[in-house]
Amino acid sequence: MDNNYNGNYNIDPDNNSYNYTGSNDETQTTYGSYTQPTVDAAYTSNSQTGTNDRYYSPYERGTQNSTPKKKGGFFKTLAKTACIAAVFGLVSGSIFGAVNYFIPGDLSTTVAVNDDKDSSGGDALVTTGKDNGLKSTQNSIAAVQTSATNISGIVEDVMPSIVAITNMSQTQVQNWFGQVQQYESESAGSGIIVSEDDESLYIATNNHVVQDATTLTVQFCDDTTAAAEVKGTSSANDLAVVEVKKKDIDKDTLSTIKIATINKDGNEKVGEQVIAIGNALGYGQSVTQGIISALDREVSASDNTTGETTTATLTQTDASINPGNSGGALLNLKGEVIGINSAKYGGDYVDGMGFAIPMKTAANIINELIVREKVEESQTAYLGISGIDVTNDVAKAYNMPTGIYVAKVYNGSAADTYGLMKGDIITHFAGQKVESMEALQELMQYHAAGTEVTITVARANMGSYEEVEINMVLGSKN
């Protein structure tokens, strides 16, 4: 039956209102009145009254009031809620929650990367062994490239190269009586198998996943586990490499796991579909899908411990990056790793804002962490300065570059010999960006006395700073 309407529809243009009374073939109804809300920049409340089930307006039946918008609320929340995507538990490991951390800055390195292309166009990281036995995801990715939407096929192929990492560490807590107590805490993160040699597997992850670890355990795709050790870290970039000895890995597991295929070309595009795999909430490997929301996004966040704010250049995605995903893979639809999942924004008004360290930044650093070795104590290098960290906050306040302010140069040291001056701000050491004395000392562990390095400084000149490169031979600490 046609639903025919009859009735009166009265409009009062002066009061911005109408009144409608009528009937149709199904029911006899009387409609309430509606008053158009006044809208201004402050977004005043609107209201509607009525008694029946049909309305010729976008509002629900009854009275509905809007909440005025608060200007600036979104961005204030955003700025305060950058969180790591590692998940930390209490003593039992059963309670999880994200914690704030600083997202380190970008840097480049002069260490070479193997530029051999795999069948899918990606790059494989350097391997140091003579006869590497593991399969690579590059050998079977081509089979799923013909179906770009075959997410399950991509995941099935890549999952053997993703691991879960458990970090056991000692945490100090001060009780109500001022006494400091230590207890064992557990945190969970993820990692990517990126290289191997005759004796070991090398797994890339975030520095905050392995930081302060007393013991590390890696869980593979078949749920078997093995002990691991930190091979190298770059706290300035929130990157680390974990080493697992092959002799500690089950033989069946070795035949199952794979080396991930890395794409460091940086050719991804905004809107491109991506897949995130990681150990979300410490429950085991899980998969989320989304798109690249933005490239080269400058993200600022604060270190919960120090309160320092730093900025990094990251890839933004709306694929869910949850606590525990830290160190996991951000993949393109070829199954290539294009980023290492690192952080997310959280808050009442924020959703779908995850971040990953792009492989165009991470690949070279990871390679260096794999191949470099710490020098012996007797060969430790010495620069010969006292320095003060120039954080982002200090840099903005005094219009200075971030880095290490040289407060003193010791007579007769390498710094003195090669012209480093008080007031210089060290920004790069051996091609890597440094923003703290801790980061500088970390890098110097891998450079022996007598090694020639290039140090980049910002030097004050007529009210501004100019970049100066200083080539020097590092002195001996002894």
Side-chain angles (χ1 to χ4, degrees):
M1 178 192 317
D2 293 333
N3 194 16
N4 299 315
Y5 291 88
N6 297 288
N8 298 316
Y9 184 77
N10 302 314
I11 299 175
D12 185 352
D14 294 330
N15 294 318
N16 235 357
S17 64
Y18 69 75
N19 181 280
Y20 178 89
T21 303
S23 62
N24 58 40
D25 293 336
E26 297 175 356
T27 60
Q28 178 71 34
T29 57
T30 301
Y31 291 84
S33 63
Y34 167 77
T35 301
Q36 177 69 26
T38 301
V39 179
D40 60 20
Y43 193 75
T44 58
S45 64
N46 60 59
S47 63
Q48 173 201 345
T49 59
T51 57
N52 289 300
D53 295 329
R54 289 180 182 161
Y55 292 92
Y56 299 101
S57 73
Y59 298 92
E60 295 180 357
R61 180 164 56 90
T63 301
Q64 174 177 324
N65 297 314
S66 70
T67 303
K69 291 184 178 179
K70 297 180 181 179
K71 295 182 180 179
F74 174 82
F75 292 103
K76 290 179 181 178
T77 302
L78 199 66
K80 293 178 180 178
T81 53
C83 301
I84 57 173
V87 58
F88 292 85
L90 297 180
V91 178
S92 66
S94 61
I95 302 175
F96 298 108
V99 295
N100 292 333
Y101 88 121
F102 71 98
I103 304 176
D106 186 17
L107 69 83
S108 59
T109 179
T110 56
V111 177
V113 173
N114 186 349
D115 286 325
D116 293 339
K117 297 290 183 178
D118 60 57
S119 60
S120 61
D123 294 321
L125 288 180
V126 173
T127 55
T128 56
K130 297 178 182 179
D131 184 17
N132 304 315
L134 290 189
K135 298 185 291 295
S136 168
T137 57
Q138 66 187 20
N139 297 327
S140 50
I141 286 174
V144 298
Q145 286 183 17
T146 55
S147 177
T149 58
N150 185 8
I151 303 300
S152 62
I154 297 170
V155 170
E156 182 179 3
D157 189 74
V158 175
M159 192 69 83
S161 65
I162 310 298
V163 302
I165 299 175
T166 301
N167 174 346
M168 300 300 295
S169 59
Q170 293 291 326
T171 301
Q172 290 187 341
V173 175
Q174 189 173 22
N175 61 25
W176 289 101
F177 304 102
Q179 298 172 324
V180 177
Q181 296 178 321
Q182 283 192 342
Y183 66 90
E184 192 172 57
S185 61
E186 178 181 287
S187 62
S190 307
I192 309 163
I193 304 173
V194 293
S195 186
E196 66 165 335
D197 59 26
D198 291 339
E199 297 182 351
S200 302
L201 292 181
Y202 299 101
I203 298 166
T205 186
N206 290 132
N207 179 64
H208 70 260
V209 171
V210 300
Q211 194 169 19
D212 300 325
T214 53
T215 61
L216 285 175
T217 304
V218 167
Q219 184 178 46
F220 298 100
C221 60
D222 61 356
D223 295 331
T224 61
T225 61
E229 294 183 352
V230 176
K231 177 68 170 62
T233 62
S234 177
S235 58
N237 297 277
D238 195 25
L239 292 171
V241 170
V242 171
E243 180 179 6
V244 181
K245 298 294 184 182
K246 286 184 176 179
K247 63 181 179 62
D248 297 330
I249 303 174
D250 185 83
K251 290 183 178 179
D252 290 337
T253 301
L254 278 174
S255 66
T256 302
I257 58 180
K258 297 179 180 181
I259 305 296
T261 299
I262 307 299
N263 186 330
K264 70 179 187 68
D265 292 340
N267 53 7
E268 50 268 18
K269 298 179 180 179
V270 174
E272 179 181 342
Q273 283 186 285
V274 289
I275 305 164
I277 304 180
N279 181 23
L281 295 180
Y283 290 142
Q285 304 296 9
S286 62
V287 180
T288 55
Q289 182 188 8
I291 62 169
I292 293 176
S293 305
L295 296 169
D296 300 325
R297 180 74 83 196
E298 286 195 353
V299 180
S300 296
S302 297
D303 184 338
N304 236 14
T305 303
T306 65
E308 295 179 358
T309 300
T310 56
T311 301
T313 302
L314 306 175
T315 298
Q316 181 183 330
T317 177
D318 68 347
S320 296
I321 307 296
N322 294 302
N325 276 116
S326 279
L330 187 69
L331 307 163
N332 62 20
L333 291 188
K334 295 179 181 178
E336 301 165 341
V337 180
I338 60 172
I340 296 179
N341 299 323
S342 180
K344 70 177 295 183
Y345 270 138
D348 294 339
Y349 303 105
V350 183
D351 189 23
M353 292 188 70
F355 296 91
I357 304 170
M359 290 309 296
K360 67 180 181 181
T361 299
N364 288 349
I365 299 168
I366 291 168
N367 265 337
E368 185 178 358
L369 295 178
I370 291 172
V371 301
R372 74 185 185 184
E373 300 288 343
K374 290 184 179 180
V375 301
E376 296 179 4
E377 183 69 24
S378 60
Q379 297 178 318
T380 302
Y382 179 66
L383 185 58
I385 67 162
S386 291
I388 302 172
D389 299 349
V390 181
T391 64
N392 272 1
D393 292 339
V394 173
K396 290 177 181 178
Y398 296 98
N399 195 27
M400 303 165 68
T402 57
I404 303 165
Y405 178 84
V406 179
K408 184 176 181 179
V409 177
Y410 293 97
N411 291 333
S413 66
D416 182 37
T417 301
Y418 290 94
L420 202 60
M421 300 170 59
K422 179 180 178 180
D424 286 345
I425 299 174
I426 301 173
T427 59
H428 291 78
F429 178 88
Q432 296 198 30
K433 187 174 182 179
V434 289
E435 294 185 333
S436 67
M437 284 295 292
E438 180 185 2
L440 177 60
Q441 291 163 354
E442 183 180 79
L443 286 172
M444 289 189 66
Q445 295 180 87
Y446 302 95
H447 293 81
T451 303
E452 183 175 352
V453 298
T454 299
I455 295 178
T456 304
V457 302
R459 180 166 290 171
N461 181 24
M462 302 296 291
S464 61
Y465 285 89
E466 62 180 11
E467 186 174 280
V468 177
E469 288 190 348
I470 300 173
N471 296 317
M472 70 169 62
V473 177
L474 295 173
S476 174
K477 187 176 182 179
N478 300 316

